[in-house]
Amino acid sequence: MEISLSRLHFPVTALGPGKRIGIWTQGCRIRCKGCMSPDTWRPTQQRIAVKTLIAQLTLWLTEADGITISGGEPFDQPDALYTLLKTLRDHFSGDILVFSGYEYSTLKPMLQTMDGLIDALVSGPYQQDATQNLRLRGSDNQELHLLTPLGRQRYHTYHLLRDKTDRVLDFALDAQGRVFMAGIPEKGDMEQFRTLLMQEDHQIAQIKK
């Protein structure tokens, strides 16, 4: 089984508790207005075998507290996502958090086949004009679902309001030397980031959607 992948990063500290492996899938049919990762929307032909991906993660798996899977839209590749989750469970004992732009009611049939593989799930589309007061949510319409005992243990405080400890973003370089941001940005953060890069004479890529 192969999966369309955008990027990997470790450690990620702004998308769940502890030091985390970040896995971003490539391709998204939802395309929320104001999305922080429009570069992950467009499907590509570049795919990687799940077993090859797990081999690449081996060293990180021994150090990570958890794994966060985002995108793109992970559930646009349900069979590949299932294979990835199942294989991770065979190699990793930490928690797995997944972000999806689909409503929970839409995801329920797929989640039934993934029972026990996802500890916590954030569901619902990002709404640019909605308030942003809840932890782990880009907009307050999104819902946090704790699906396993480990999920309830590790994420029970994430139903609370955001505080200053949540206002943290990770910045990293991908394999092509491009800067990307991981985390839940505040309203206006992306525009400030873009302005800062331009002031420092960095090139802003034009994204094909």
Side-chain angles (χ1 to χ4, degrees):
M1 178 62 69
E2 295 181 330
I3 190 168
S4 184
L5 194 68
S6 175
R7 51 184 170 258
L8 306 169
H9 187 64
F10 178 79
V12 174
T13 62
L15 290 172
K19 296 189 301 182
R20 310 184 65 79
I21 298 171
I23 302 174
W24 286 265
T25 61
Q26 183 69 35
C28 179
R29 300 190 186 107
I30 304 172
R31 304 190 172 197
C32 301
K33 182 180 179 181
C35 171
M36 68 175 291
S37 302
D39 59 301
T40 64
W41 289 358
R42 191 183 189 193
T44 69
Q45 298 302 314
Q46 296 179 342
R47 304 180 68 82
I48 183 173
V50 170
K51 64 179 181 180
T52 302
L53 171 58
I54 297 299
Q56 292 182 6
L57 299 178
T58 298
L59 292 178
W60 292 349
L61 290 171
T62 62
E63 301 180 29
D65 300 304
I67 296 172
T68 297
I69 302 174
S70 187
E73 173 49 57
F75 285 91
D76 280 350
Q77 305 177 68
D79 294 337
L81 177 61
Y82 171 82
T83 301
L84 174 61
L85 291 168
K86 185 68 170 63
T87 309
L88 285 171
R89 281 294 188 215
D90 293 337
H91 293 82
F92 184 66
S93 60
D95 75 89
I96 299 176
L97 166 68
V98 180
F99 284 86
S100 174
Y102 288 109
E103 298 286 2
Y104 186 71
S105 58
T106 301
L107 296 174
K108 283 186 73 172
M110 287 180 280
L111 291 172
Q112 289 176 356
T113 69
M114 302 176 186
D115 185 41
L117 300 181
I118 299 173
D119 296 296
L121 169 74
V122 176
S123 68
Y126 172 68
Q127 295 180 359
Q128 189 175 29
D129 298 327
T131 56
Q132 185 189 36
N133 298 312
L134 299 173
R135 302 187 72 186
L136 276 182
R137 275 76 126 199
S139 56
D140 288 345
N141 62 291
Q142 296 175 321
E143 298 179 320
L144 173 63
H145 310 273
L146 308 184
L147 304 178
T148 67
L150 179 59
R152 290 186 284 274
Q153 174 190 337
R154 300 215 68 191
Y155 290 89
H156 68 279
T157 63
Y158 283 80
H159 287 298
L160 303 176
L161 297 178
R162 290 162 60 95
D163 59 31
K164 63 181 181 180
T165 64
D166 299 300
R167 294 180 171 90
V168 176
L169 297 171
D170 295 318
F171 290 86
L173 294 172
D174 67 12
Q176 288 73 45
R178 298 171 300 190
V179 177
F180 71 92
M181 181 190 297
I184 311 294
E186 296 282 316
K187 305 290 186 182
D189 279 351
M190 296 302 294
E191 290 77 10
Q192 292 180 26
F193 181 40
R194 176 182 291 269
T195 299
L196 178 62
L197 289 175
M198 294 179 67
Q199 289 174 347
E200 296 295 326
D201 294 325
H202 293 291
Q203 183 178 2
I204 306 297
Q206 296 298 315
I207 298 170
K208 297 179 180 180
K209 301 177 182 180

